Amino acid sequence: PKQKRFYSKKEFNPFLWRAWFMMANSQFHKGEFTEAASTYIYISKLYEENPKLVAMARIGLAKCYVEMDWLYEAEDLLQRIQRDTIPSSLKEEYAHAKGFLLIKQEKYKEAVEEVSKGMKRKDISSLEKAREHYLIGQLHAKSGNKKAAYKSFGKVISKSPPYELEFNARIRQTETATDENHKPILRKLKRM
């Protein structure tokens, strides 16, 4: 039975799945969401015996659906992923995808929690963390929580981001600052 299972596989190279994901991710980042979605679907069918790879492909597919504004399909897919149990190593990636779905649905308060969970995922650069702190600050500002928005924009500045991102974070900080915080921030902005 073990040999039959082995020979019934469609793919024998144990590292080829990385190439498939690299291709799908590059299509996604190029903005070719339809092509990326079809590649993610192909990956989930090709590696159906590996639940972790299937979950990774479905999360990528859900991100494509969100970008194409197919919100119902994305929400349905994310619910199915959760129902099928997410591997513990993908919980942060799942939260990241769900956070961006909630942003598209304009549910900003719920999105803050999911995007924050998603920031704990592996292989995230400090620039990406700074950008996501900026996004969280924007979400807090939209939901009316100025104090939390001020703190989030401060976290962006503490990550030593590129000049443009830091400058925009300082400007957004002035918009969300309380009266006692305005003067030091304005001085820093003038120096920039």
Side-chain angles (χ1 to χ4, degrees):
K2 189 176 179 182
Q3 270 187 322
K4 281 185 180 180
R5 257 184 294 144
F6 178 76
Y7 286 115
S8 69
K9 290 168 78 174
K10 296 176 187 169
E11 184 57 57
F12 294 95
N13 187 332
F15 300 104
L16 196 59
W17 65 270
R18 292 182 179 150
W20 281 111
F21 274 103
M22 191 181 301
M23 187 169 105
N25 292 338
S26 68
Q27 290 169 333
F28 179 83
H29 289 294
K30 282 174 40 181
E32 298 170 349
F33 303 118
T34 309
E35 291 85 351
S38 63
T39 306
Y40 285 125
I41 290 169
Y42 181 75
I43 291 169
S44 64
K45 289 181 180 176
L46 184 63
Y47 296 102
E48 63 190 352
E49 76 282 345
N50 189 333
K52 183 179 178 182
L53 295 181
V54 171
M56 285 171 59
R58 285 183 176 174
I59 289 170
L61 181 60
K63 287 180 181 180
C64 289
Y65 287 164
V66 168
E67 291 298 326
M68 292 188 294
D69 286 331
W70 295 3
L71 303 182
Y72 175 77
E73 288 82 0
E75 188 172 14
D76 183 50
L77 185 58
L78 288 173
Q79 286 175 350
R80 277 191 281 146
I81 293 168
Q82 190 174 27
R83 186 186 62 226
D84 295 343
T85 63
I86 309 158
S88 61
S89 61
L90 295 176
K91 290 205 185 277
E92 292 85 12
E93 198 66 43
Y94 174 82
H96 186 254
K98 188 170 182 182
F100 282 95
L101 171 66
L102 291 170
I103 290 169
K104 282 278 192 171
Q105 292 174 333
E106 297 180 2
K107 298 177 181 176
Y108 301 123
K109 286 184 181 179
E110 294 120 35
V112 168
E113 184 180 332
E114 295 297 328
V115 173
S116 297
K117 285 181 195 174
M119 283 179 51
K120 296 175 185 164
R121 63 194 190 281
K122 293 184 214 172
D123 303 330
I124 183 171
S125 69
S126 101
L127 175 61
E128 286 177 289
K129 277 192 179 184
R131 290 180 71 198
E132 289 186 14
H133 277 298
Y134 189 87
L135 175 64
I136 290 171
Q138 288 177 313
L139 293 173
H140 280 304
K142 279 199 177 234
S143 60
N145 191 348
K146 288 188 173 191
K147 192 173 186 179
Y150 181 85
K151 283 184 180 179
S152 292
F153 292 126
K155 288 179 183 177
V156 172
I157 296 165
S158 71
K159 296 283 181 197
S160 300
Y163 177 80
E164 190 175 319
L165 184 58
E166 181 180 351
F167 187 70
N168 286 321
R170 287 195 190 278
I171 290 173
R172 293 300 302 246
Q173 231 182 1
T174 59
E175 294 172 358
T176 58
T178 57
D179 289 334
E180 65 268 1
N181 292 342
H182 266 307
K183 289 180 184 177
I185 295 170
L186 288 174
R187 269 188 249 119
K188 287 179 185 176
L189 271 173
K190 285 179 183 177
R191 271 189 271 144
M192 289 183 85

